[in-house]
Amino acid sequence: EPRFKHLTFAADAQTLIAGRGLAGPAKPPLIMVFSVESGKELHSVRVPFDHVAGIAVSANGKSLIVVDKDDLQKPPAVWDLATMERLPDDDGMPEARELRGRFVPDGLRLQNDDSGLSIVAEDGGHEVLALPRDRYRTQSASFSPDGKRILSGGVGLVVRVWSAETGAL
C-alpha cells in the first residue's frame, strides 16, 4: 500500500517535502514537494535508488538531500529545492550524514505508537498534546522550523498539518 515514509518542512515552513515509501520497478521512490497553504503539489522527482533512508533540507534551506538506505556510505542525492534540478552529489554535507531534517522544539519530542501521535516532554515523558488518531496510520512526523506546526503522513499518501499548540488540523 502506498505511503509517505519520510516528511520534513523546508526552512520557510510554507513548503513540505514527502517521500513515498514503496520501491521497485513498478513504483520507484518518489519525492514530492507541496505548498502547505494550498496543499498543491509543486514538484516531484524520482529517486535514483530503490530505498530511501531519509530526507533532509540543507542548513541554508536551498537543497533537498536524499540518502540511499541500501548504501549509507554512498553520497546522497541532492536537488535544488526551488527548481528540483539535480545537483552534483556532495558527500561533504553534514546534513546528509546527520539527517537533521526534523526540528524539535526544546524539551519536546514526537511520539508515534499504537495510541496515535503525541507531543511528549523529554524530561519525564509526560504527554503535552495528543493528536486525534486517524485511519491513515502515521508513518512519519516532523515539527515545522518554528515549532508551531506538525506534519504527519502515512498510509494512503495522506499528509496532514496540525497545530502543535491545539492539535487542530
Side-chain angles (χ1 to χ4, degrees), residues 28-99:
L30 181 69
I31 303 297
M32 303 169 83
V33 180
F34 296 91
S35 163
V36 172
E37 186 175 321
S38 70
K40 183 178 178 181
E41 182 181 326
L42 304 175
H43 302 286
S44 66
V45 294
R46 298 267 178 230
V47 178
F49 30 82
D50 290 335
H51 300 93
V52 174
I55 61 176
V57 175
S58 63
N60 68 9
K62 294 183 179 182
S63 301
L64 171 63
I65 303 154
V66 182
V67 176
D68 184 348
K69 183 176 185 177
D70 294 328
D71 187 357
L72 295 174
Q73 302 306 313
K74 183 165 68 174
V78 182
W79 285 268
D80 178 292
L81 195 51
T83 65
M84 291 311 284
E85 288 182 31
R86 179 84 188 265
L87 301 174
D89 293 341
D90 183 359
D91 59 355
M93 277 189 182
E95 294 89 349
R97 288 192 303 272
E98 298 173 27
L99 274 178

Side-chain angles (χ1 to χ4, degrees), residues 90-148:
D90 183 359
D91 59 355
M93 277 189 182
E95 294 89 349
R97 288 192 303 272
E98 298 173 27
L99 274 178
R100 285 185 272 147
R102 295 179 187 210
F103 172 86
V104 180
D106 289 340
L108 299 176
R109 65 182 166 85
L110 289 169
Q111 179 174 304
N112 185 29
D113 57 29
D114 290 340
S115 62
L117 184 63
S118 58
I119 301 173
V120 177
E122 290 191 340
D123 66 350
H126 71 278
E127 189 172 84
V128 176
L129 178 69
L131 299 177
R133 188 168 183 191
D134 68 43
R135 62 185 177 161
Y136 298 109
R137 295 192 325 259
T138 298
Q139 298 286 309
S140 181
S142 178
F143 280 103
S144 64
D146 61 9
K148 293 181 180 179

